[in-house]
């Protein structure tokens, strides 16, 4: 049975894991512009990210449907371990990984470890904003994510 898209008045939880506060603000602005009822939570370290997910599990109604995970939030190897741990413990959580490093090997590693999408962040602010706007439009308006309620 397919889930229906979220109605505009429903809450939709998104978790943004990045140490870059400018990215947090830009992503939040784009997500809210695409869906005003979106509820956002943030983490700046891998430890905070895992702890927040544990806390959200205890409150099922607050569990995010989408995680935007920045590869640069930690040392590269630690970030890969974080992605692996999230995938093992939260197999239905949709993960979009972002990174300034969008070489083929980096993208392949992200997908191999369980990311659902990979966005290579542009160093140009206006292009990065366009990318985030596209991310918000696709994941909040077009895609049907696990756990979305039926109409």
């Amino acid at each position: 049975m397919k889930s229906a898209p979220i109605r505009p008045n429903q809450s939709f939880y998104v978790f943004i894991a990045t140490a870059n506060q400018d990215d947090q603000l830009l992503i939040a602005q784009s997500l809210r512009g695409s869906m005003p009822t979106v509820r956002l939570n943030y983490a700046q370290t891998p430890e905070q990210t895992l702890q927040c997910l544990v806390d959200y599990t205890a409150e099922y109604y607050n569990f995010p449907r989408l995680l935007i995970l920045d590869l640069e939030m930690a040392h590269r190897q630690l970030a890969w371990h974080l992605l692996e741990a999230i995938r093992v413990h939260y197999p239905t959580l949709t993960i979009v990984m972002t990174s300034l490093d969008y070489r083929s090997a980096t993208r392949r590693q992200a997908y191999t470890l369980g990311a659902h999408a990979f966005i290579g962040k542009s160093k140009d602010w206006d292009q990065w904003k366009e990318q985030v706007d596209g991310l918000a439009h696709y994941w909040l308006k077009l895609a049907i994510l696990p756990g979305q309620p039926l109409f």
Side-chain angles (χ1 to χ4, degrees):
M1 182 182 306
K2 273 188 162 179
S3 296
I6 291 183
R7 294 185 295 262
N9 61 346
Q10 290 178 316
S11 293
F12 187 97
Y13 290 89
V14 176
F15 188 23
I16 302 168
T18 180
N20 185 319
Q21 291 186 338
D22 289 335
D23 284 352
Q24 282 183 2
L25 292 172
L26 176 62
I27 293 168
Q29 177 186 12
S30 290
L31 294 174
R32 286 189 178 114
S34 188
M35 180 177 283
T37 59
V38 70
R39 295 203 178 178
L40 304 172
N41 294 304
Y42 306 92
Q44 293 185 327
T45 67
E47 297 79 18
Q48 284 178 345
T49 302
L50 287 175
Q51 186 58 55
C52 286
L53 288 171
V54 168
D55 294 345
Y56 298 144
T57 302
E59 302 174 12
Y60 179 77
Y61 58 90
N62 281 333
F63 197 82
R65 294 204 187 116
L66 175 63
L67 168 62
I68 301 171
L69 178 62
D70 187 355
L71 184 59
E72 280 82 32
M73 83 177 305
H75 180 272
R76 180 67 49 100
Q77 200 57 36
L78 188 56
W80 291 132
H81 288 303
L82 173 63
L83 177 57
E84 284 181 301
I86 292 169
R87 183 50 54 228
V88 167
H89 296 289
Y90 308 98
T92 62
L93 177 59
T94 302
I95 301 171
V96 175
M97 180 158 269
T98 64
S99 178
L100 288 168
D101 175 7
Y102 43 92
R103 293 174 297 155
S104 174
T106 304
R107 294 189 317 263
R108 186 174 28 254
Q109 181 78 359
Y111 285 114
T112 299
L113 296 177
H116 292 92
F118 183 93
I119 298 176
K121 295 192 300 189
S122 175
K123 293 179 183 176
D124 176 86
W125 183 257
D126 291 329
Q127 286 180 343
W128 174 222
K129 182 176 181 345
E130 270 185 45
Q131 290 172 303
V132 172
D133 287 345
L135 176 152
H137 178 76
Y138 179 78
W139 291 104
L140 298 184
K141 291 191 172 187
L142 299 177
I144 299 173
L145 299 175
Q148 286 186 214
L150 297 174
F151 278 114

